Amino acid sequence: MGTAVTMDKLVALCKNRGIIFPGSEIYGGMGNTWDYGPVGVEIKNNVKRVWWKRFVQESDNSFGVDAAILMNSRVWEASGHTTSFSDPKMDCKKCKTRHRADNLIEMHSKGKVDPDLMTNEEMEQYIREKEVHCPICGGFDWTNIRTFNLMFETSRGVTDESQNKIYLRPETAQGEFINFLNVQRTTRAKVPFGIAQIGKAFRNEITPGNFIFRTIEFEQMEHQWFCKEGTDSQFYEEYKARAMQFLLDLGIKREHLRFHDHEKLAHYAKAACDIQYLYPMGWSELNGIHNRTDYDLSRHQEYSGKSLTYVDPIDGSRYLPYVIEYSIGADRLMLALLAEAYEEETLEGGDVRGVMRFHPAIAAYKAAVLPLQKNIAEPAKALLQKLKKKFSVSYDEAGSIGKRYRRQDEIGTPFCITTDFETLENGTVTVRERDSMQQLRLPMDEIEAFLAEKTAF
Ligand code: ATP
């Protein structure tokens, strides 16, 4: 089970099972964009729901926001994105494809060399000395490194002359920082407290085509914890542990996860690490945890001219809180969960079944209702209507029961509920569990409570 699946296989099965389709497919596609299908959108919504439950609903002193994607351009000047949010790119002169120099080095050294510690000149030197070839055409004829800002630009204005350049946000974090005092005042929160947000971010990334790992449009789930200087290191450790526990609770194996401390820190950061997952293409970042000090609030205070100082209601002290940032991509987590869940299981008798062993809370459908015979579909339909009010449930009456079970296994539905003649006699149904394939007989009116218990997160 787990990361034995190749990326090509995952892409193909996601397409065939209605999980993820290539973006703009009928027009020949649009590089690095993907559309979530009927099954995929349910899974992704569940990913976001369980994250929100864990980090907002169940967290002490945490509050959500949903900030605008388009923000005043001064936000990105204050955050430093307009000047320094860029990647080192090189072009292959032979096949005219563009690559990130840091990615080429990471791939070539199989993660042993950390390009974050290198200057552009050092990266160029490494690529030339080690003869790193183009991963697309195999050529070895590179341009020098050039840097490109990753932010997508657009414009705002009523006439062509009055247009102002604005940006699609490259991260959600700034929406939390600029609303720090709005949230604090309206919730009367005392430091330490957290602000969370789930939303789209956009980056003009050059990508080596690792499916939804790196896309130009993606969703981030971010939590900023505002705390007093001096308590920050302890909270940083706490958030590392919480971030890891969340992934383990979703069923990701510990041996497929590892911490990776950043050796080269941004000038404002006190500590930073990633949690990496063993994706089909190798170890790569799944989420980041950063101790950002009071950098963001102080920059926004300086650029906006508005005080963002917190006043402690107990001792009256005034200060800008430090921030512990925990940031995870919903799509990257989805990719990790897909790779982790995938299994081809050889059954007794030699048959192979494809099964997605998702945590039930993540599965697109909590159950599938399957009438054993079409001519007695009434109780199945009644059960479906009842369950639909509480859960996302699938219904299937086409084909043999074995085939119908397989279809549900392939998209990870944890329970199949079959109605038959006995249902008409005594109101019981058969419940078949996805992983063990064990069956049990339950009264129909107990199914709702059964599913609520078994699919909780
Ligand atoms: P990377 O080094 O992989 O480019 P990053 O360090 O730039 O990532 P952050 O800016 O810290 O990433 O963003 C937080 C999280 O958002 C990442 O851990 C990742 O899960 C997700 N993320 C970032 N960029 C992308 C992208 N282009 N596509 C999908 N998810 C992304």
Side-chain angles (χ1 to χ4, degrees):
M1 165 144 64
T3 54
V5 64
T6 65
M7 200 65 99
D8 286 347
K9 190 154 197 173
L10 214 47
V11 172
L13 75 86
C14 280
K15 185 175 168 183
N16 293 336
R17 298 177 191 176
I19 302 175
I20 299 168
F21 307 123
S24 311
E25 195 182 9
I26 60 167
Y27 288 97
M30 154 97 183
N32 307 313
T33 64
W34 299 90
D35 295 341
Y36 286 78
V39 175
V41 68
E42 297 288 344
I43 298 174
K44 193 174 178 194
N45 282 342
N46 290 336
V47 165
K48 292 187 277 185
R49 205 172 285 135
V50 296
W51 186 87
W52 194 264
K53 180 166 185 276
R54 175 67 58 92
F55 288 96
V56 181
Q57 187 184 324
E58 294 176 354
S59 280
D60 290 338
N61 241 6
S62 275
F63 309 93
V65 292
D66 183 11
I69 287 175
L70 301 172
M71 295 169 136
N72 188 311
S73 298
R74 294 277 290 161
V75 169
W76 307 113
E77 287 168 30
S79 67
H81 282 82
T82 44
T83 47
S84 56
F85 191 54
S86 52
D87 278 341
K89 314 261 168 87
M90 287 178 114
D91 289 348
C92 168
K93 290 192 205 161
K94 202 169 153 214
C95 70
K96 311 279 183 251
T97 53
R98 185 159 288 170
H99 303 264
R100 269 174 64 172
D102 52 339
N103 287 346
L104 290 173
I105 294 172
E106 260 170 19
M107 273 191 295
H108 181 267
S109 69
K110 301 204 164 43
K112 291 202 183 85
V113 176
D114 187 352
D116 282 352
L117 302 174
M118 297 169 141
T119 62
N120 284 354
E121 290 69 36
E122 285 166 345
M123 283 195 268
E124 279 174 1
Q125 196 183 344
Y126 179 99
I127 286 167
R128 300 226 150 89
E129 275 176 10
K130 304 277 178 197
E131 295 198 9
V132 180
H133 287 248
C134 170
I136 305 293
C137 72
F140 179 58
D141 191 5
W142 297 107
T143 61
N144 286 338
I145 289 180
R146 282 174 296 167
T147 49
F148 287 93
N149 196 293
L150 291 174
M151 283 201 292
F152 278 102
E153 292 175 9
T154 184
S155 53
R156 157 95 177 126
V158 282
T159 61
D160 283 350
E161 297 79 57
S162 68
Q163 284 189 347
N164 284 321
K165 186 157 65 172
I166 54 173
Y167 303 96
L168 300 187
R169 69 178 174 201
E171 61 174 31
T172 52
Q174 303 304 324
E176 289 112 86
F177 299 140
I178 62 171
N179 281 298
F180 161 66
L181 274 193
N182 280 339
V183 173
Q184 191 273 323
R185 269 195 222 106
T186 51
T187 60
R188 300 180 312 283
K190 293 191 187 68
V191 168
F193 71 94
I195 305 182
Q197 176 167 214
I198 298 179
K200 288 249 170 161
F202 305 82
R203 294 182 189 178
N204 204 352
E205 305 246 27
I206 299 297
T207 86
N210 285 325
F211 195 21
I212 52 169
F213 176 79
R214 189 182 299 286
T215 47
I216 55 177
E217 173 185 340
F218 55 98
E219 265 180 295
Q220 289 187 313
M221 308 191 285
E222 292 204 312
H223 188 278
Q224 315 291 338
W225 184 249
F226 298 88
C227 60
K228 192 167 187 172
E229 182 182 357
T231 61
D232 50 304
S233 299
Q234 161 216 330
F235 284 122
Y236 174 72
E237 292 305 323
E238 190 180 301
Y239 269 85
K240 277 173 70 172
R242 288 188 71 189
M244 178 61 86
Q245 194 57 49
F246 174 65
L247 300 172
L248 296 173
D249 291 347
L250 282 173
I252 301 184
K253 287 213 184 80
R254 185 63 183 85
E255 60 265 33
H256 294 161
L257 296 165
R258 70 180 187 194
F259 284 108
H260 171 251
D261 288 322
H262 292 196
E263 283 175 39
K264 189 168 117 187
L265 295 176
H267 62 277
Y268 53 84
K270 195 165 149 188
C273 74
D274 304 331
I275 294 179
Q276 298 183 333
Y277 175 71
L278 186 56
Y279 288 98
M281 74 284 185
W283 287 103
S284 283
E285 173 175 339
L286 170 54
N287 70 224
I289 301 134
H290 305 127
N291 181 342
R292 302 182 62 97
T293 67
D294 60 0
Y295 174 77
D296 305 279
L297 291 182
S298 63
R299 293 280 288 191
H300 286 304
Q301 181 165 271
E302 181 191 337
Y303 277 68
S304 67
K306 301 273 170 5
S307 169
L308 293 176
T309 306
Y310 171 75
V311 183
D312 188 304
I314 312 277
D315 62 15
S317 61
R318 296 168 163 269
Y319 59 92
L320 286 179
Y322 269 37
V323 172
I324 306 301
E325 174 180 77
Y326 156 51
S327 176
I328 179 163
D331 312 85
R332 268 195 205 176
L333 177 53
M334 175 105 180
L335 180 59
L337 292 171
L338 285 165
E340 190 73 11
Y342 178 80
E343 190 180 354
E344 279 177 17
E345 185 185 8
T346 308
L347 304 171
E348 271 174 45
D351 273 2
V352 175
R353 73 163 179 151
V355 55
M356 284 286 195
R357 298 193 193 274
F358 293 122
H359 186 296
I362 294 302
Y365 306 112
K366 304 299 169 236
V369 178
L370 316 171
L372 199 58
Q373 295 91 354
K374 262 193 200 163
N375 57 350
I376 52 152
E378 285 321 307
K381 285 189 177 153
L383 180 63
L384 174 71
Q385 291 313 321
K386 188 172 169 214
L387 293 179
K388 267 181 161 184
K389 294 196 190 317
K390 295 276 167 62
F391 312 97
S392 162
V393 180
S394 170
Y395 180 84
D396 189 359
E397 51 179 35
S400 73
I401 192 69
K403 280 210 179 101
R404 284 184 271 166
Y405 283 155
R406 292 288 173 273
R407 281 201 285 267
Q408 297 303 326
D409 289 344
E410 285 180 353
I411 56 170
T413 308
F415 299 101
C416 286
I417 302 165
T418 313
T419 57
D420 52 24
F421 283 111
E422 221 184 310
T423 312
L424 297 175
E425 282 161 23
N426 63 13
T428 62
V429 292
T430 300
V431 180
R432 175 222 187 236
E433 201 265 331
R434 177 194 67 202
D435 295 345
S436 62
M437 295 186 288
Q438 302 254 306
Q439 305 195 358
L440 77 156
R441 199 84 196 168
L442 281 181
M444 234 182 348
D445 54 14
E446 285 181 19
I447 295 293
E448 205 176 304
F450 174 88
L451 287 181
E453 189 203 321
K454 298 285 184 192
T455 65
F457 182 77

